[in-house]
Amino acid sequence: MSKTKKIMLIIALLFLNIVEQAASVITATIPGMAKTFSNVSLTNVEMLTTIVSMFVTVFVLVSGVIVKKIGQKQTALLGITIAAVSSIIPAFSNSYIIVLISRGVLGIGIGLANPLAISLIGTFFQGDERARLMGWRSAIAGVGTSLMTYLAGQLLKISWHASYLVYLLFVPAVILFVIFVPSPEKEGYIEEQTETKEDGQKSVKIQKSKPLLIALMFLMFMAMVSFMILAVKLPTFLVQNKIGTASQSATAWSIHNLAGLLGGMCFGYLYKHLKGYLLPMGLALVGVGFVMIGFSKTMTIIYLLNILTGFAASNVTPYIFNRISEVALPQNAPFYTSLALVGSNFGSFISPYAGSLIGKTGKLAIINAGVILLVLAIITTVTAFRRMRLTQQG
């Protein structure tokens, strides 16, 4: 592959990741839609933003099945095309039902494309380069969401319908993907299994890797539950302890996310030097940061700790996805990536309930979430040490 083709392939794959969090970029349109749909309850209007996530969760799982039928590129292209078409329908409709259906279909498109946006990086790239791109992927997803949210806000000055035109950014994603991303099955990036000795070796690898893949998916779920407890409980914590306001909690969380962008960009470098120890280190730093936030008395300290937790947390998710790409066979990677995404989405969904379960106050919930992360850090440290020792012995 020439250098130019490789660069365009990277751009196309990274651009595909703008679909990851695209559902939330039009939340500012809710008041305007509530006026237009005056005969619909506010709760049902707000559901226009959340219904996408429900369909994403279902079709993230369906994506792996469709990949086996039509291939990885075709599934990703189908998903991004569905998303591109359905996402702009609300710009031209005053019917609540039509807008609701279009948002559900958008969830279908995102659900189909999202696992491939991650697993295709693992298919086309290896080693440190793959790790670096996994970090970039996470950062681009965040930057893309911020940019689309800003543009949607500017278009809102025209009308709430106009805000939905921000989804036209999906169109160049489709074009780049069609032109510059090869079909991994046809181009030999995924080899067909044959009835040989190698096939038996692959079967052994699959059996050995399944427990690790399951552990990674469970880790994704637990980490996301713990991470989101800070987002959910920080406003309550600040108000209950008379440290700050709900508005200041939003600022703290913004700082957390901005630090996450920097962390994502640094992931490749950190992974190259820390390898298996990056995961426990990231979990430990977030855990310590959460516990310290729970005992903090000033907003300045909390802002600084959110820089630490945001940077560290942003290395955990790409590590897990990168590890899945390393362990799973290329043809199975989309399926396991899908399961990890389900774990991530479900973890985010239940975080308010989990926070209430582990702490009666915002302070206790945040501290206990930090303790859970520290326990996970200890477990993954032991695992990383054992893996490193086995590698040296081998």
Side-chain angles (χ1 to χ4, degrees), residues 259-323:
L261 295 179
L262 178 60
M265 296 300 292
C266 295
F267 172 75
Y269 174 83
L270 293 173
Y271 181 80
K272 181 178 180 180
H273 290 85
L274 297 175
K275 296 298 182 183
Y277 294 109
L278 178 58
L279 176 62
M281 186 175 293
L283 292 168
L285 288 174
V286 182
V288 170
F290 278 22
V291 172
M292 292 178 69
I293 287 172
F295 288 103
S296 297
K297 302 296 183 182
T298 68
M299 283 307 306
T300 301
I301 297 298
I302 290 173
Y303 287 149
L304 291 173
L305 288 171
N306 268 275
I307 295 174
L308 170 68
T309 57
F311 185 92
S314 67
N315 283 280
V316 172
T317 301
Y319 180 93
I320 293 173
F321 283 128
N322 186 66
R323 193 76 182 104

Side-chain angles (χ1 to χ4, degrees), residues 187-224:
E187 298 293 328
Y189 289 94
I190 293 179
E191 297 178 1
E192 294 294 331
Q193 293 188 28
T194 56
E195 295 296 327
T196 63
K197 182 179 179 180
E198 291 183 1
D199 187 45
Q201 293 173 341
K202 287 180 181 178
S203 297
V204 172
K205 179 183 177 181
I206 292 171
Q207 293 300 322
K208 288 184 177 180
S209 65
K210 277 186 178 180
L212 176 56
L213 289 165
I214 293 170
L216 287 169
M217 287 178 279
F218 178 73
L219 179 61
M220 175 70 86
F221 167 74
M222 291 299 298
M224 195 54 61

Side-chain angles (χ1 to χ4, degrees), residues 38-204:
S38 56
N39 60 330
V40 179
S41 70
L42 179 59
T43 301
N44 285 336
V45 172
E46 291 171 340
M47 190 173 66
L48 292 174
T49 63
T50 59
I51 193 173
V52 181
S53 298
M54 182 177 72
F55 280 88
V56 168
T57 302
V58 173
F59 279 85
V60 152
L61 291 174
V62 174
S63 177
V65 177
I66 295 179
V67 163
K68 292 182 179 180
K69 300 290 184 181
I70 65 175
Q72 294 193 22
K73 178 177 180 177
Q74 291 74 12
T75 303
L77 184 58
L78 176 64
I80 189 67
T81 302
I82 289 173
V85 174
S86 62
S87 61
I88 62 169
I89 290 176
F92 309 101
S93 177
N94 280 319
S95 168
Y96 174 80
I97 295 300
I98 290 176
V99 173
L100 181 67
I101 292 172
S102 71
R103 295 291 288 173
V105 175
L106 171 61
I108 294 173
I110 294 175
L112 292 176
N114 203 12
L116 278 306
I118 299 169
S119 65
L120 281 171
I121 293 175
T123 299
F124 292 117
F125 300 96
Q126 301 294 321
D128 293 337
E129 188 172 37
R130 173 172 57 198
R132 184 172 66 252
L133 292 177
M134 285 292 184
W136 287 5
R137 183 210 72 78
S138 179
I140 290 295
V143 171
T145 302
S146 300
L147 176 61
M148 291 179 72
T149 302
Y150 172 77
L151 292 176
Q154 296 304 303
L155 291 169
L156 186 59
K157 296 175 181 178
I158 303 173
S159 69
W160 70 261
H161 291 90
S163 289
Y164 281 87
L165 294 176
V166 74
Y167 288 117
L168 288 173
L169 285 173
F170 285 172
V171 175
V174 173
I175 295 171
L176 286 169
F177 194 82
V178 169
I179 297 174
F180 297 108
V181 178
S183 173
E185 293 87 357
K186 294 179 180 179
E187 298 293 328
Y189 289 94
I190 293 179
E191 297 178 1
E192 294 294 331
Q193 293 188 28
T194 56
E195 295 296 327
T196 63
K197 182 179 179 180
E198 291 183 1
D199 187 45
Q201 293 173 341
K202 287 180 181 178
S203 297
V204 172

Side-chain angles (χ1 to χ4, degrees), residues 221-230 290 351 369-370 372-373 376:
F221 167 74
M222 291 299 298
M224 195 54 61
V225 170
S226 302
F227 291 165
M228 291 307 296
I229 283 175
L230 179 65
F290 278 22
S351 58
I372 290 171
L373 289 168
L376 292 175

Side-chain angles (χ1 to χ4, degrees), residues 230-250 252 293-294 296-299 302 361-363 366:
L230 179 65
V232 173
K233 293 297 184 179
L234 187 58
T236 304
F237 164 65
L238 295 181
V239 173
Q240 285 177 340
N241 294 274
K242 298 179 181 180
I243 298 171
T245 64
S247 176
Q248 287 175 309
S249 76
I293 287 172
S296 297
K297 302 296 183 182
T298 68
M299 283 307 306
I302 290 173
T361 65
K363 177 178 181 176
I366 293 171

